[in-house]
Tab-separated table of all heavy atoms in Angstrom:
chain	number	residue	atom	x	y	z
A	77	GLU	N	-2.435	0.215	96.748
A	77	GLU	CA	-3.800	-0.560	97.050
A	77	GLU	C	-4.784	0.399	97.504
A	77	GLU	O	-4.671	1.107	98.560
A	77	GLU	CB	-3.482	-1.605	98.003
A	77	GLU	CG	-4.736	-2.477	98.287
A	77	GLU	CD	-4.527	-3.742	99.239
A	77	GLU	OE1	-3.490	-3.713	99.845
A	77	GLU	OE2	-5.329	-4.523	99.258
A	78	ASN	N	-5.888	0.481	96.725
A	78	ASN	CA	-6.921	1.503	96.981
A	78	ASN	C	-8.142	1.015	96.410
A	78	ASN	O	-8.610	1.497	95.366
A	78	ASN	CB	-6.445	2.855	96.486
A	78	ASN	CG	-7.399	3.949	97.005
A	78	ASN	OD1	-8.405	3.830	97.561
A	78	ASN	ND2	-6.830	5.195	96.857
A	79	PRO	N	-9.016	0.228	97.150
A	79	PRO	CA	-10.306	-0.252	96.637
A	79	PRO	C	-11.219	0.733	96.395
A	79	PRO	O	-12.224	0.629	95.517
A	79	PRO	CB	-10.745	-1.401	97.785
A	79	PRO	CG	-9.710	-1.269	98.765
A	79	PRO	CD	-8.557	-0.472	98.472
A	80	ARG	N	-11.104	1.986	97.094
A	80	ARG	CA	-12.011	2.972	96.865
A	80	ARG	C	-12.025	3.516	95.423
A	80	ARG	O	-13.027	3.982	94.870
A	80	ARG	CB	-11.601	4.212	97.788
A	80	ARG	CG	-12.356	5.499	97.703
A	80	ARG	CD	-11.795	6.517	98.611
A	80	ARG	NE	-10.466	6.845	98.399
A	80	ARG	CZ	-9.935	7.540	97.480
A	80	ARG	NH1	-10.738	8.146	96.439
A	80	ARG	NH2	-8.636	7.827	97.293
A	81	LEU	N	-10.840	3.453	94.699
A	81	LEU	CA	-10.772	3.955	93.419
A	81	LEU	C	-11.582	3.055	92.483
A	81	LEU	O	-12.263	3.556	91.490
A	81	LEU	CB	-9.287	3.797	92.840
A	81	LEU	CG	-8.374	4.804	93.494
A	81	LEU	CD1	-6.979	4.498	93.141
A	81	LEU	CD2	-8.544	6.224	93.246
A	82	ILE	N	-11.769	1.741	92.744
A	82	ILE	CA	-12.585	0.929	91.812
A	82	ILE	C	-14.131	1.303	92.088
A	82	ILE	O	-14.821	1.335	91.107
A	82	ILE	CB	-12.356	-0.597	92.107
A	82	ILE	CG1	-10.844	-0.962	91.703
A	82	ILE	CG2	-13.285	-1.489	91.489
A	82	ILE	CD1	-10.414	-2.275	92.089
A	83	GLU	N	-14.519	1.526	93.287
A	83	GLU	CA	-15.871	1.935	93.654
A	83	GLU	C	-16.154	3.180	92.998
A	83	GLU	O	-17.245	3.433	92.485
A	83	GLU	CB	-16.050	1.969	95.076
A	83	GLU	CG	-16.016	0.468	95.819
A	83	GLU	CD	-17.106	-0.374	95.150
A	83	GLU	OE1	-18.182	-0.021	94.910
A	83	GLU	OE2	-16.599	-1.463	94.718
A	84	GLU	N	-15.197	4.163	92.998
A	84	GLU	CA	-15.407	5.524	92.471
A	84	GLU	C	-15.711	5.315	90.920
A	84	GLU	O	-16.473	6.020	90.406
A	84	GLU	CB	-14.313	6.339	92.738
A	84	GLU	CG	-14.239	6.954	94.077
A	84	GLU	CD	-12.976	7.832	94.455
A	84	GLU	OE1	-12.389	8.341	93.413
A	84	GLU	OE2	-12.840	8.252	95.567
A	85	LYS	N	-14.825	4.409	90.290
A	85	LYS	CA	-14.942	4.240	88.890
A	85	LYS	C	-16.145	3.714	88.481
A	85	LYS	O	-16.997	4.120	87.515
A	85	LYS	CB	-13.725	3.327	88.357
A	85	LYS	CG	-13.624	3.295	86.850
A	85	LYS	CD	-13.314	4.723	86.329
A	85	LYS	CE	-12.880	4.624	84.886
A	85	LYS	NZ	-12.519	5.841	84.310
A	86	LYS	N	-16.683	2.693	89.342
A	86	LYS	CA	-18.033	2.076	89.130
A	86	LYS	C	-19.175	3.193	89.121
A	86	LYS	O	-20.026	3.409	88.213
A	86	LYS	CB	-18.341	1.069	90.094
A	86	LYS	CG	-17.523	-0.299	89.811
A	86	LYS	CD	-17.923	-1.303	90.939
A	86	LYS	CE	-17.122	-2.510	90.720
A	86	LYS	NZ	-17.314	-3.458	91.956
A	87	ARG	N	-19.157	4.072	90.262
A	87	ARG	CA	-20.102	5.187	90.324
A	87	ARG	C	-19.973	6.126	89.156
A	87	ARG	O	-21.107	6.474	88.567
A	87	ARG	CB	-19.861	5.820	91.535
A	87	ARG	CG	-20.436	5.163	92.870
A	87	ARG	CD	-20.425	6.071	94.035
A	87	ARG	NE	-19.089	6.741	94.559
A	87	ARG	CZ	-18.276	5.934	95.301
A	87	ARG	NH1	-18.607	4.778	95.698
A	87	ARG	NH2	-17.159	6.469	95.722
A	88	GLU	N	-18.776	6.348	88.766
A	88	GLU	CA	-18.620	7.267	87.473
A	88	GLU	C	-19.147	6.693	86.336
A	88	GLU	O	-19.954	7.307	85.490
A	88	GLU	CB	-17.129	7.357	87.299
A	88	GLU	CG	-16.807	8.460	86.042
A	88	GLU	CD	-15.327	8.413	85.806
A	88	GLU	OE1	-14.627	8.692	86.685
A	88	GLU	OE2	-14.922	8.195	84.576
A	89	LEU	N	-19.089	5.336	86.078
A	89	LEU	CA	-19.613	4.602	84.971
A	89	LEU	C	-21.158	4.715	85.037
A	89	LEU	O	-21.806	4.827	84.058
A	89	LEU	CB	-19.157	3.219	84.847
A	89	LEU	CG	-17.645	3.019	84.454
A	89	LEU	CD1	-17.161	1.703	84.623
A	89	LEU	CD2	-17.471	3.494	83.004
A	90	VAL	N	-21.722	4.425	86.230
A	90	VAL	CA	-23.151	4.468	86.382
A	90	VAL	C	-23.640	5.802	86.046
A	90	VAL	O	-24.797	5.921	85.440
A	90	VAL	CB	-23.572	3.969	87.777
A	90	VAL	CG1	-25.092	4.183	88.083
A	90	VAL	CG2	-23.237	2.455	88.000
A	91	GLU	N	-23.001	6.825	86.508
A	91	GLU	CA	-23.424	8.162	86.056
A	91	GLU	C	-23.483	8.443	84.699
A	91	GLU	O	-24.380	9.091	84.069
A	91	GLU	CB	-22.622	9.116	86.901
A	91	GLU	CG	-22.935	9.213	88.410
A	91	GLU	CD	-24.473	9.623	88.652
A	91	GLU	OE1	-25.036	10.477	88.155
A	91	GLU	OE2	-25.014	8.902	89.578
A	92	ARG	N	-22.491	7.901	83.942
A	92	ARG	CA	-22.396	8.137	82.565
A	92	ARG	C	-23.452	7.264	81.779
A	92	ARG	O	-24.192	7.778	80.948
A	92	ARG	CB	-21.006	7.563	82.051
A	92	ARG	CG	-19.937	8.590	82.262
A	92	ARG	CD	-18.491	8.055	82.093
A	92	ARG	NE	-18.256	7.472	80.879
A	92	ARG	CZ	-17.247	6.741	80.384
A	92	ARG	NH1	-16.306	6.640	81.255
A	92	ARG	NH2	-16.937	6.313	79.198
A	93	ILE	N	-23.688	6.145	82.335
A	93	ILE	CA	-24.974	5.379	81.732
A	93	ILE	C	-26.247	6.155	81.997
A	93	ILE	O	-27.102	6.173	81.115
A	93	ILE	CB	-25.079	3.997	82.413
A	93	ILE	CG1	-23.738	3.071	81.869
A	93	ILE	CG2	-26.307	3.276	82.134
A	93	ILE	CD1	-23.612	1.782	82.695
Side-chain angles (χ1 to χ4, degrees):
E77 182 174 8
N78 195 340
R80 177 184 56 80
L81 292 172
I82 294 172
E83 290 307 313
E84 285 179 15
K85 191 65 173 181
K86 286 179 185 177
R87 280 193 298 276
E88 178 186 312
L89 290 171
V90 167
E91 287 305 313
R92 287 171 50 193
I93 290 170

